[in-house]
Amino acid sequence: MRRGIAATALTATLALAVTACGGDSDSGSKGTSGPVTITWWDTSNATNEAPNYKALISEFEKANKDIKVTYVNVPFDQAQNKFQTAAGSKGAPDVIRADVGWTANWAKSQFLAPLDGTDALKNSEDITPALLKQAQYEGKTYGAPIVTDSLALMWNKELLKKAGFDKAPTTWDELKKVSKAVAAKTDADGFWMNKAGYYQMPFLYGEGTDLIDSEGKKITVNSPEAVKAIETSKSLLKAPGVAKLDVSADSYAHMQDAFTTGKVAMIVQGPWELTNIYKGAAFKDAANLGLATVPGGSAGKGAPIGGHNLSVYAGSDAAHQKAAQKFVGFMTSGETQAKIALKNSTLPTRTSAYTAEVKALPGFADMQTVLAEGGKARGSDPSYSSLYTDFETNVTKVLQGKVGVQKGLDDAAAAYKKLLKDYS
């Protein structure tokens, strides 16, 4: 949900045209002696991350002479629709790097093959349990987690020290106090609020609720707990030292710029921005960046876990699925994930991948703690990832003062009811 990837028109064309689902042109699809060729659609950053994945493919092919991998980089913001179109016409790639929010829906549509008991999920006890949960649908696992992320409270230690604090706030009330002091004693704002639905989730989790109750089939976005959560969010904007709500199209970039240049002391952000943050003027000394669990509410703390899975196309023949499973197992192993972390600065999904070298990367040890303390799996309903849009639209109106909290959340619930007809 977080990184669009630039690509040329040629790459986009290849993303649709190059497939390996057992057609006549694929060696090994009819019992020939040549290697089986599988296709992988990768949705990572084409400039910074893709070259490192290509190097790993070469490593895999050297160790597995009977398998060849055709690599295609597909822009993240186009991949979901492209794969659904290709899978519906039986022409999808053998392996797809999918956002965790896509997996259950594609499993429900029977686009993906279950991976339980295959080479794709060897030593699954090493994988963070919440990440496995997000890759499951109706008791079966349809994705092997390859990278993960969540949200953390990121803070400028120097600015907080000037304001008289040497630790990050642990509650929203504490954050208000810190923000007021920062604004009074420095030239910076204390906190910048991101209105996006994904970034508003910690407020809900802090009151012990969610957008929906997937197990109980209930819409909870307008529950009393949710109302309290968004009232807390709204109250922050009225607190001294908190930046004015930015509803412009470039609000995300504005937030990042303010934080990296030292104009704001605290933001809620994910590890995908760590590389860019450390390049900022305020964090040339990496030790100046603090990372902590997002502040909590009356029921505790929590932030949504994101990331990506590698999934196998159900429409491929047996030979291609077996080869794809082996490739997925290699790419998501602890050893490979450690290499990916060191090259791409992405968080691993296996405990064994957090080697001493990986933990030494700026921010990584702290993010591992944040994930363990506050990471929360999203709801298991296949439609869950589509719920953020209506949530954000209506919460933005609330934060702008256009509607009351209950009315805004009731409107979100009404939109959910049209999508989730079997929910009460």
Side-chain angles (χ1 to χ4, degrees), residues 334 337-342 346-348 352-365:
Q337 285 196 36
K339 294 177 181 178
I340 293 171
L342 293 170
T346 50
L347 293 176
S352 62
Y354 283 91
T355 62
E357 192 176 8
V358 169
K359 285 187 175 182
L361 292 171
F364 268 55

Side-chain angles (χ1 to χ4, degrees), residues 13 34 65 68 89-90 118 123 142 151 157 183 210-211 230 236 257 298 388 401:
T13 301
K65 301 293 186 182
K68 296 294 182 183
S89 61
K90 302 296 182 183
T118 72
N123 303 315
Y142 291 90
L151 294 172
K157 293 181 180 180
D210 203 333
L211 301 174
I230 302 307
L236 286 177
D257 180 70
S298 64
Y388 287 127

Side-chain angles (χ1 to χ4, degrees), residues 94-119:
D94 301 284
V95 179
I96 175 76
R97 180 181 185 266
D99 183 274
V100 296
W102 305 343
T103 307
N105 189 40
W106 287 352
K108 180 182 179 181
S109 299
Q110 300 183 342
F111 292 158
L112 305 180
L115 302 178
D116 305 274
T118 72
D119 287 340

Side-chain angles (χ1 to χ4, degrees), residues 193 232-240 242-245 399-400:
M193 167 98 73
T232 297
S233 175
K234 185 176 181 180
S235 72
L236 286 177
L237 293 172
K238 298 178 181 179
V242 174
K244 183 180 179 182
L245 183 69
L399 297 179
Q400 288 178 295

Side-chain angles (χ1 to χ4, degrees), residues 108-176:
K108 180 182 179 181
S109 299
Q110 300 183 342
F111 292 158
L112 305 180
L115 302 178
D116 305 274
T118 72
D119 287 340
L121 285 178
K122 284 186 175 180
N123 303 315
S124 59
E125 66 279 1
D126 185 37
I127 302 172
T128 303
L131 302 181
L132 272 181
K133 183 179 179 181
Q134 291 192 153
Q136 293 173 347
Y137 174 69
E138 295 188 341
K140 295 182 179 180
T141 311
Y142 291 90
I146 186 169
V147 297
T148 187
D149 57 52
S150 187
L151 294 172
L153 179 69
M154 298 189 180
W155 49 292
N156 185 314
K157 293 181 180 180
E158 182 181 355
L159 287 176
L160 261 67
K161 184 177 181 179
K162 288 180 179 179
F165 300 90
D166 59 3
K167 294 181 180 179
T170 60
T171 67
W172 296 115
D173 284 340
E174 288 180 9
L175 184 140
K176 291 178 183 178

